[in-house]
Amino acid sequence: MLARKGIEVRLLVTLLATAVLESSSTSSSLAQEEANKAAPPRVNHAALTVEGGGTLGAYEGGLTWALLEVFRQRRVMNLPDSVRRRAAKPIEPLRIDFATIRALDPFEFHAAAGASAGSINAFIAANQWCSIDPPEREDGSSFWRVWVLTGLSEVLPSRRDADWHGDKAIFTRTRLTPIFAKLDSAWKTITYDSGCKVSFGAAITRLAGDSVEISDRIHPRNQRYAAAFAVEAPQSGTGSVQYRQPLPDSDARLQLGALVQLPTDRNGGTIQHRYAYELINASSGYPLAFQPQLVHYCAVIRAARRTGVPIPCTEHVADSAFFVDGGVFDNGPLTLGYGMALAANPSVTLDNLHMLFVSPSQRRFTGGRRDAFSGGARGLSVSDSGTADTQHKNPEAASEGLDALAKLLRAFIPSARQYEMQIAARLLPVVQQADRRKESSATALALARAAETFQRKRAEFEYQTRKRDLNEAARATDSVRFERDSLRYILASCRLNPTLCVPAHEDSLVELPRHHDLTDINIQSLPSDFSATDTAANQTPFESNLITSTRWHPLAGDWLFGFGGFIGRSLREYDFYVGVYDALALIAQEVICVDSVDPQCFPKKLSALIIDPIVPLSNKGTTALKALYDEEFPSRASSRRLLSHADSAADPVTVNIIQAMGSRMDTISLPSTACQKGGRIERLSCGEGIDRVFGILRTTPDFAKNGMFQGCSADPTGRVECTPDPRFNDFVENPSIAMNKLTGQILERLLAATPDSSDLNLPLKVATATFFATNERTRTGIDAGSVSLPSLPVRKLLFFYALPSSVGGFAGTPGWYLEWATRAHVNSTYTLGAAGRFVWASGFKDSTTLHRGRIFIPALRAEIKPWGRLSPWISTAGIDLAYWSDQSPYAFWRDWDNNGLTGAVTGALFAQRIRVSVYRRPPRYWIRSGDKPWPAVSIGLGDTNGVLYWLLRSWH
């Protein structure tokens, strides 16, 4: 904008100077002609900021991919034919509505910024914006390869994996490295528009505290950093993109805080790609989920002592420190995106910069329906007819004691992650006002200088004119005097000699030279003052150019604190397609229908963009978008449903998931008391809507028929292959069991990643032991009875399974026992198993001559696993069918009769710590002569092998 105003000022000065030398009419026409020639074409400037959020990156990836492909192709259409001819040809014909793309306004993309998962999507977008190749299909895109192909199998190692002890975090990056290596290789095959570049920035959080200098006396503590560099297309148009440092004044407009630089080489000033990937790994390294990343950087660029020239940030002078997810303090780095875009081009201002903010948290409530499980999510509430719907507001309940602290801690991290956006909301209007004041001041100064130049030239012109008039007046005086003397001489001669005189001719009028009339130039008509108020009258607030994405559909990536997408590939595909759908919705609502008064414009145009897509889609992608549209707009009097029976039959898994997720949308929110049953895991699964979605999926024909979902995809030959996803199917079959199993694996990974010397190691082991002692309802397979042993390597498994699971004695009767058990879990409620109890030094007597106070009691055991609030107090409750006999095989088989057969009630109490069994004492055993067979009660310590295991781990 400043550059454009500068052109206008220069034109004004030129017109004023021309007015002095030309007539007013001629000057005006020439000025208008020159202004028309010099006026630059309209340029739409744009930048991108992507919010973070774990596996929400799949949704953001789909949205970013679609927008990138649409507006990248729109940009390519404006390039010369000689440039476009260098682009690679598509492998197959593209079914794209290029006419709709051409009708859109073009945008020049200047900057991309992100944090956490958003930094990955922003980085991919920055690397591909300058491409002039045809668009790529969604399932072959870089975004798809990063997000859809990455699940728990790729990031959660097992004990058998080599990186079990290598990565000190829950998840590992080892198997993510090849994915980014393939991206780097794929980008080398792209054809680029040489000279094109995009600024990229990512927010990161330093693990240790540091300080940033505000002034000589103020050095506040700081952990939030940001790094930025330019992604430049190769000059040849092919090959690898280059990463270079941005302009030195890249943070001059917006003081971006601790903006660090990445190391460059000594010659070309290029950044090695490995340093850029260090930044990406750090920015997307969710704390605790991924281990901190070592980043090489220069926080302060120092100048050489002798020359004063800044020393380049090379790897020899760079510092290094460990960083984690930038979303800890700055989950949506708006200020960073704005700052880079303003520094990229002097003509970019907050008045003409369109910022696209990709945020999964902004919702639209079409038809008044909202996500019943999301509580009071903020969003745009719009009905089918375009009318706004009010959100339900529930009064806040009072919080006391530790509840208040817990509530504060739950809200602290989400608030801290978005605090930078609050700063941006306060800072950017001030920057815009300052820019406008600076712009208007520069305009007023230029006009004043032009007026001063005009007045000076006018005075000089008048001086020269008056000087010329004076000289001409002197010459005219001499001429008149000469003529007067001549006439007197002639008159005297005529009087002396009348014959010499002839009739006099009429004197001719002498026309004096006519000079330019300066009154034709009216200096008062020029704007002598150009105030900021006058300028702002034709400007708009920067918020009008801030476009935020909105969504209607629920996301699986929202589950489990942002990591629910790891559960299964089908869920990540669903989230990706929701992102593509919302990208088309954004184009329909914010671009095509922005000035429309038709309330049905948005659904109509969105439907048209799905039927005639503006991005290349696979058959699965087309089916998904149709199903998503039908979920958001289920009833339309003027239009039929987009999804056909053939579409549903071709890809039932995708359609079933979309319809199951759509069942969460309702006109009212879920009551707060709806998910208060069961343990913590059950309440979490219910509260996030996982149970409802998977419950619906279990009833679908595909799952009921096969016992699993099969992810089907077509290869290039057209053959359809279906591959089951075992973990996803486990979640669909029983979410609570699968989630508890996953929780146990995560706790084991966390224990392996936490050093034994850490002060947090012991509390973590206590918490893990408590979890394994209270997760009875989620166990499967065969185990050693009601014990807290986790999954162990075979060598450790055999040792601890060889130890007794319970040790105790009898109430009121001498005797001690050791018990071993094994059981198979029928389901989450019932188990069947066997137990063997060895008793010695007992006071029980029998009629055999071999009795030495030792008894062997084998039993068949059936147990129930209580649920809800009983589960921590009563781990299991069951019955035993037991047979009492001496500890001798001979006696056991010789005297087999019903006299030793009996029943018992048994149970594990207080998180498996106590084992209580109440037997009906068999008739063949007595305590004293003549005693009746009253019950025999045993009380002992339960989970003895599990307790020993955790004690050994604590002492390790």
Side-chain angles (χ1 to χ4, degrees):
M1 182 64 73
L2 289 176
R4 185 166 183 173
K5 290 295 184 182
I7 293 174
E8 294 174 357
V9 169
R10 290 193 295 271
L11 288 175
L12 181 58
V13 173
T14 303
L15 293 175
L16 289 173
T18 305
V20 177
L21 303 176
E22 303 290 341
S23 65
S24 60
S25 60
T26 305
S27 299
S28 301
S29 61
L30 290 177
Q32 184 64 39
E33 182 179 352
E34 291 297 322
N36 293 337
K37 290 181 180 179
R42 178 186 176 187
V43 176
N44 293 309
H45 304 288
L48 171 72
T49 297
V50 187
E51 196 176 81
T55 56
L56 286 171
Y59 164 80
E60 297 169 344
L63 198 154
T64 308
W65 166 79
L67 291 176
L68 176 76
E69 287 301 328
V70 169
F71 288 102
R72 183 179 67 85
Q73 290 302 313
R74 181 64 185 88
R75 178 181 180 275
V76 171
M77 291 177 180
N78 284 354
L79 295 177
D81 292 339
S82 58
V83 177
R84 285 186 289 170
R85 279 195 293 267
R86 295 192 292 107
K89 300 296 182 183
I91 299 176
E92 58 184 15
L94 298 177
R95 296 171 47 251
I96 300 178
D97 185 4
F98 285 105
T100 300
I101 297 178
R102 189 177 296 276
L104 301 176
D105 289 336
F107 285 89
E108 189 58 40
F109 185 35
H110 294 291
S116 190
S119 63
I120 298 178
N121 288 315
F123 182 66
I124 296 175
N127 277 270
Q128 296 193 190
W129 172 254
C130 296
S131 168
I132 60 174
D133 287 344
E136 55 186 0
R137 214 170 69 172
E138 90 284 357
D139 54 359
S141 67
S142 300
F143 298 92
W144 182 278
R145 287 195 291 268
V146 168
W147 293 111
V148 175
L149 303 185
T150 303
L152 282 175
S153 301
E154 286 71 37
V155 298
L156 184 62
S158 64
R159 290 182 180 274
R160 298 185 299 272
D161 297 330
D163 48 2
W164 174 261
H165 296 287
D167 282 9
K168 299 303 181 181
I170 297 175
F171 301 132
T172 177
R173 289 193 181 97
T174 303
R175 276 161 282 187
L176 297 179
T177 302
I179 295 178
F180 285 99
K182 290 181 180 179
L183 291 184
D184 220 7
S185 300
W187 292 340
K188 293 179 181 179
T189 63
I190 291 177
T191 307
Y192 294 96
D193 174 21
S194 58
C196 172
K197 67 178 181 179
V198 177
S199 296
F200 167 76
I204 51 179
T205 303
R206 185 171 177 178
L207 209 59
D210 202 344
S211 60
V212 59
E213 181 177 346
I214 301 298
S215 67
D216 293 338
R217 297 184 180 183
I218 301 178
H219 298 265
R221 303 296 293 174
N222 177 65
Q223 288 179 266
R224 186 267 188 194
Y225 287 78
F229 55 86
V231 180
E232 296 185 2
Q235 292 299 320
S236 62
T238 57
S240 179
V241 293
Q242 294 181 335
Y243 303 146
R244 295 183 180 274
Q245 293 295 357
L247 297 175
D249 60 346
S250 57
D251 66 337
R253 297 283 295 282
L254 281 182
Q255 295 301 321
L256 299 178
L259 185 66
V260 302
Q261 292 189 11
L262 302 185
T264 62
D265 58 24
R266 293 180 178 272
N267 301 321
T270 59
I271 301 171
Q272 294 186 29
H273 283 209
R274 66 186 182 96
Y275 292 131
Y277 281 110
E278 284 180 356
L279 174 65
I280 300 302
N281 285 336
S283 181
S284 60
Y286 199 90
L288 197 63
F290 294 96
Q291 70 178 14
Q293 173 68 47
L294 186 67
V295 177
H296 294 80
Y297 68 98
C298 294
V300 179
I301 305 301
R302 301 176 179 85
R305 293 183 179 180
R306 294 183 179 180
T307 62
V309 178
I311 301 174
C313 177
T314 62
E315 58 184 355
H316 301 288
V317 300
D319 300 322
S320 62
F322 285 96
F323 289 84
V324 293
D325 193 337
V328 174
F329 289 101
D330 188 359
N331 196 42
L334 273 174
T335 309
L336 179 61
Y338 275 110
M340 292 188 302
L342 294 176
N345 191 324
S347 63
V348 177
T349 67
L350 292 179
D351 288 319
N352 61 16
L353 176 62
H354 294 78
M355 173 63 72
L356 173 60
F357 182 44
V358 176
S359 173
S361 60
Q362 299 297 318
R363 305 296 295 270
R364 61 180 183 272
F365 304 132
T366 305
R369 293 194 299 165
R370 66 196 73 248
D371 191 345
F373 294 87
S374 65
R378 290 181 57 82
L380 178 64
S381 184
V382 180
S383 67
D384 289 344
S385 61
T387 59
D389 299 318
T390 58
Q391 298 187 45
H392 299 288
K393 294 184 178 180
N394 298 320
E396 183 178 6
S399 299
E400 300 174 350
L402 289 179
D403 284 343
L405 178 61
K407 185 174 182 179
L408 173 65
L409 294 178
R410 284 195 298 268
F412 172 76
I413 292 181
S415 298
R417 288 165 65 89
Q418 296 188 353
Y419 190 72
E420 194 274 344
M421 288 188 282
Q422 301 178 34
I423 296 176
R426 295 191 293 267
L427 175 63
L428 293 175
V430 177
V431 173
Q432 185 181 40
Q433 293 174 6
D435 281 349
R436 289 176 178 175
R437 285 195 296 267
K438 179 181 178 182
E439 180 180 341
S440 61
S441 298
T443 303
L445 178 61
L447 288 174
R449 287 176 177 173
E452 183 270 336
T453 301
F454 173 76
Q455 294 287 10
R456 178 170 47 80
K457 291 185 176 182
R458 175 176 179 173
E460 178 67 21
F461 177 78
E462 290 186 352
Y463 170 75
Q464 295 296 335
T465 302
R466 298 301 175 259
K467 183 178 180 181
R468 184 169 59 251
D469 289 345
L470 181 61
N471 293 333
E472 291 179 354
R475 289 194 298 269
T477 302
D478 292 341
S479 175
V480 170
R481 185 181 297 112
F482 175 77
E483 291 181 358
R484 183 189 58 189
D485 293 343
S486 299
L487 290 175
R488 286 177 179 175
Y489 175 78
I490 295 173
L491 180 59
S493 300
C494 288
R495 285 177 178 176
L496 292 175
N497 190 1
T499 58
L500 298 176
C501 295
V502 295
H505 297 283
E506 183 178 356
D507 294 334
S508 300
L509 294 177
V510 179
E511 188 180 45
L512 294 177
R514 182 175 182 179
H515 306 294
H516 293 288
D517 188 0
L518 292 179
T519 59
D520 292 340
I521 303 175
N522 184 10
I523 188 66
Q524 299 301 325
S525 65
L526 298 176
S528 59
D529 178 63
F530 210 77
S531 64
T533 304
D534 296 332
T535 304
N538 296 323
Q539 307 289 350
T540 55
F542 85 95
E543 292 92 342
S544 63
N545 289 335
L546 175 60
I547 303 173
T548 304
S549 63
T550 61
R551 67 178 175 91
W552 182 86
H553 304 83
L555 295 177
D558 261 338
W559 296 343
L560 307 182
F561 312 103
F563 291 95
F566 279 149
I567 292 177
R569 171 171 173 168
S570 298
L571 296 179
R572 297 191 296 277
E573 289 182 357
Y574 163 80
D575 283 358
F576 192 93
Y577 286 126
V578 174
V580 177
Y581 175 89
D582 284 341
L584 300 182
L586 186 145
I587 293 175
Q589 193 167 35
E590 300 291 341
V591 180
I592 300 177
C593 296
V594 66
D595 296 323
S596 175
V597 296
D598 181 8
Q600 293 297 321
C601 179
F602 170 56
K604 288 179 181 177
K605 294 302 181 182
L606 178 57
S607 173
L609 292 178
I610 294 174
I611 296 174
D612 295 317
I614 54 178
V615 287
L617 293 169
S618 63
N619 292 332
K620 176 186 286 189
T622 303
T623 299
L625 296 189
K626 291 179 180 179
L628 291 170
Y629 184 88
D630 288 341
E631 286 298 316
E632 183 173 5
F633 302 97
S635 59
R636 302 179 306 282
S638 60
S639 175
R640 60 180 178 81
R641 294 176 65 86
L642 300 186
L643 190 69
S644 65
H645 292 292
D647 295 327
S648 301
D651 197 351
V653 175
T654 301
V655 175
N656 288 334
I657 291 176
I658 290 173
Q659 294 176 347
M661 293 293 284
S663 69
R664 294 165 51 115
M665 304 300 292
D666 203 343
T667 55
I668 59 174
S669 299
L670 194 71
S672 58
T673 58
C675 294
Q676 295 300 318
K677 297 180 180 179
R680 177 63 181 170
I681 298 299
E682 286 84 357
R683 294 197 299 271
L684 175 65
S685 177
C686 174
E688 295 195 348
I690 298 176
D691 287 352
R692 175 182 290 191
V693 172
F694 289 163
I696 293 175
L697 291 179
R698 281 195 300 274
T699 64
T700 58
D702 186 67
F703 192 88
K705 178 182 178 180
N706 302 319
M708 65 178 65
F709 276 117
Q710 301 185 64
C712 302
S713 59
D715 60 17
T717 63
R719 182 180 56 186
V720 177
E721 296 182 353
C722 298
T723 305
D725 188 341
R727 188 183 295 272
F728 177 56
N729 288 303
D730 290 343
F731 268 90
V732 173
E733 186 173 3
N734 194 316
S736 296
I737 290 179
M739 196 176 302
N740 272 272
K741 182 178 179 181
L742 176 60
T743 303
Q745 292 176 316
I746 290 177
L747 287 172
E748 290 184 71
R749 276 294 304 145
L750 198 54
L751 276 175
T754 304
D756 293 332
S757 59
S758 172
D759 294 336
L760 298 175
N761 187 273
L762 182 58
L764 177 61
K765 288 175 180 176
V766 172
T768 306
T770 303
F771 169 79
F772 280 104
T774 57
N775 69 335
E776 282 286 350
R777 287 183 55 80
T778 61
R779 296 188 184 182
T780 58
I782 299 175
D783 59 19
S786 185
V787 294
S788 62
L789 289 173
S791 59
L792 297 171
V794 175
R795 55 186 178 83
K796 291 185 178 181
L797 184 69
L798 294 177
F799 173 77
F800 286 102
Y801 272 37
L803 299 175
S805 60
S806 180
V807 177
F810 290 86
T813 304
W816 303 94
Y817 76 85
L818 299 176
E819 181 180 277
W820 285 259
T822 183
R823 63 179 178 175
H825 294 267
V826 178
N827 52 37
S828 61
T829 304
Y830 301 105
T831 68
L832 293 175
R837 180 172 291 194
F838 290 87
V839 183
W840 76 96
S842 73
F844 296 105
K845 303 179 183 296
D846 67 358
S847 59
T848 66
T849 58
L850 297 176
H851 176 67
R852 296 184 296 274
R854 295 193 295 268
I855 304 174
F856 172 55
I857 308 177
L860 297 177
R861 180 173 292 173
E863 291 180 304
I864 185 174
K865 297 179 282 187
W867 54 89
R869 300 186 183 276
L870 284 177
S871 56
W873 309 106
I874 304 177
S875 301
T876 60
I879 57 175
D880 284 359
L881 180 62
Y883 184 81
W884 289 42
S885 175
D886 288 349
Q887 293 178 20
S888 167
Y890 176 74
F892 183 78
W893 293 109
R894 184 195 64 179
D895 296 328
W896 173 264
D897 56 35
N898 291 331
N899 290 332
L901 190 66
T902 187
V905 177
T906 185
L909 310 178
F910 307 115
Q912 304 178 351
R913 299 283 76 84
I914 303 295
R915 165 66 68 174
V916 177
S917 298
V918 181
Y919 292 91
R920 180 185 181 278
R921 181 159 43 86
R924 63 186 292 182
Y925 287 90
W926 67 87
I927 300 175
R928 290 181 298 273
S929 178
D931 281 351
K932 295 181 179 180
W934 293 107
V937 180
S938 69
I939 302 175
L941 297 176
D943 188 28
T944 52
N945 49 1
V947 171
L948 179 62
Y949 168 80
W950 291 110
L951 287 175
L952 290 176
R953 289 207 62 171
S954 300
W955 291 337
H956 185 271

